Amino acid sequence: MLRDAVGADTPGDPLDARPPAGRMELERAKVAVLPLYLSFAAESDLDPDVSEPVLTAVLGTMSTRRRTGYAGRLTAFAAEHRARLERMYAQYGPGSPIAIHGRYSLLHSPTSVAVLERLLTEPAALREEWDAAELPPAWLEGLTTAWGEPQ
């Protein structure tokens, strides 16, 4: 079993630390979110430069060990919530009557899939990293509101 090969999680294990995301981790996250996002939206209208600081905050919520399996967790999240995500992106994402600039603007970015997954699994850690990165609070609030709309 893989866990036996790499060892069980132990407190103080360096792989359980939450160091800043490295370049390769950011690139892997970008590669993971884009096809998932494009399965819900035909295009991405938000400036691609937004991806790095948002994904840095998302990855900052995880230990090094957890980051290695994040692409799989994103895929499982998208599969589990497919119908809800489709409705949300249709209502607020690209092609919807909602303007790109404003409260729901992050729904126009592939990174929104990763942010939503973290909002459901690690909301306190995400808010901590979001604030530390000085990202616009409206982006996170918009996603929270859109996700919380009755489906």
Side-chain angles (χ1 to χ4, degrees):
M1 179 173 215
L2 182 59
R3 180 176 287 284
D4 295 334
V6 297
D9 291 344
T10 56
D13 186 337
L15 290 177
D16 291 329
R18 290 178 18 193
R23 171 69 38 210
M24 189 58 76
E25 290 172 318
L26 284 170
E27 291 305 316
R28 278 193 299 248
K30 287 177 190 176
V31 168
V33 298
L34 186 58
L36 292 173
Y37 177 78
L38 291 175
S39 72
F40 302 113
E43 60 186 78
S44 173
D45 296 331
L46 196 60
D47 184 345
D49 292 336
V50 168
S51 297
E52 192 165 313
V54 169
L55 289 174
T56 297
V58 164
L59 293 171
T61 67
M62 294 173 250
S63 67
T64 302
R65 183 183 311 268
R66 301 281 296 165
R67 290 176 192 167
T68 60
Y70 191 53
R73 282 194 304 283
L74 280 175
T75 300
F77 167 80
E80 181 181 345
H81 299 285
R82 175 153 296 285
R84 189 173 186 179
L85 289 164
E86 286 173 346
R87 286 189 299 268
M88 186 185 67
Y89 282 106
Q91 187 172 356
Y92 297 103
S96 73
I98 303 295
I100 185 171
H101 300 291
R103 172 176 218 167
Y104 301 107
S105 62
L106 198 57
L107 283 160
H108 295 254
S109 169
T111 60
S112 59
V113 176
V115 175
L116 284 166
E117 185 276 337
R118 293 282 87 191
L119 272 172
L120 288 180
T121 57
E122 294 288 341
L126 179 62
R127 291 181 193 286
E128 178 184 317
E129 292 293 327
W130 199 267
D131 290 344
E134 299 180 355
L135 292 166
W139 289 354
L140 200 53
E141 292 164 11
L143 278 178
T144 302
T145 300
W147 186 258
E149 289 290 317
Q151 302 292 323

